[in-house]
């Protein structure tokens, strides 16, 4: 009898255990990652401009971002030439990358000319690269710093740049419109 009673008690414990909810699963903690296109410092700089980037565009192993400079000041600003650009790694250290001015697979360089932008108006420039891998280890940048002109303050923009082994960026001059 005790054997049957033990068996029945054991079954009741098993059945009772089936109705109990399982312990809560651990909640994964979010890992903070930079948001693509985030600009630091954000807002209008003392020079009266701000620069932002669009998303990375890709085509046949080539990549590009469009930089948009906005005159957020109260007076016109004239720029001639190319923005100053540096590539940084994920620890925000400068990378040894050649910056070439001119036309690339992704954009036609309009050439250097004086561009006066009124408050609220914009200028565009394209930063492009190839992710070709030949000999060596591929490199990737995590940020691009942009100054509207030589000597202006930089803004750091979060941009994943998969350079492959090329070690080169190509940059177009500031212009109100992109050339196709």
């Amino acid at each position: 009898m005790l054997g049957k009673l033990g068996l029945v008690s054991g079954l009741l414990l098993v059945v009772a255990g089936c109705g109990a909810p399982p312990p809560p699963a651990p909640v994964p903690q979010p890992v903070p990652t930079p948001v693509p296109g985030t600009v630091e410092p954000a807002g209008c700089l003392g020079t009266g401009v701000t620069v932002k980037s669009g998303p990375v565009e890709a085509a046949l192993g080539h990549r590009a971002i469009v930089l948009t400079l906005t005159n957020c000041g109260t007076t016109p600003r004239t720029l001639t030439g190319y923005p100053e650009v540096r590539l940084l790694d994920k620890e925000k250290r400068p990378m040894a990358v050649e910056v070439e001015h001119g036309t690339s697979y992704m954009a036609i360089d309009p050439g250097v000319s004086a561009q006066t932008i009124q408050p609220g108006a914009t200028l565009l420039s394209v930063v492009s690269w190839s992710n070709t891998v030949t000999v060596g280890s591929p490199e990737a940048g995590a940020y691009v710093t942009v100054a509207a002109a030589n000597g202006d303050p930089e803004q750091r923009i979060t941009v994943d740049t998969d350079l492959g082994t090329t070690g080169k960026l190509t940059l177009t001059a500031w212009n109100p419109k992109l050339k196709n």
Side-chain angles (χ1 to χ4, degrees):
M1 183 84 166
L2 186 57
K4 287 184 180 179
L5 185 57
L7 181 60
V8 170
S9 311
L11 284 174
L12 287 175
L13 285 174
V14 169
V15 171
C18 289
V27 178
Q29 296 300 313
V31 177
T33 55
V35 176
T38 300
V39 178
E40 295 177 24
C44 195
L45 298 176
T47 56
V49 298
T50 189
V51 179
K52 296 182 181 179
S53 80
V56 175
E57 302 290 337
L60 300 171
H62 301 277
R63 311 281 188 262
I65 58 168
V66 175
L67 300 175
T68 302
L69 176 137
T70 303
N71 182 343
C72 51
T74 57
T75 59
R77 172 97 194 258
T78 300
L79 293 169
T80 302
Y82 299 85
E84 294 289 318
V85 172
R86 290 186 309 138
L87 188 60
L88 308 178
D89 65 15
K90 61 184 172 185
E91 283 81 35
K92 300 177 183 153
R93 295 180 303 224
M95 296 175 64
V97 174
E98 176 188 350
V99 178
E100 178 180 275
H101 295 164
T103 296
S104 70
Y105 181 86
M106 297 294 281
I108 296 171
D109 186 15
V112 175
S113 63
Q115 303 290 332
T116 300
I117 51 172
Q118 300 299 320
T122 60
L123 292 176
L124 306 171
S125 176
V126 178
V127 179
S128 58
W129 63 93
S130 171
N131 71 342
T132 304
V133 176
T134 55
V135 177
S137 298
E139 293 188 278
Y143 303 93
V144 172
T145 65
V146 181
N150 189 15
D152 278 5
E154 294 179 328
Q155 289 187 290
R156 185 177 60 234
I157 302 170
T158 304
V159 179
D160 287 325
T161 52
D162 53 344
L163 288 178
T165 56
T166 63
K168 182 174 91 170
L169 298 175
T170 304
L171 188 62
T172 65
W174 288 121
N175 201 45
K177 295 183 181 184
L178 295 178
K179 303 265 182 183
N180 304 52

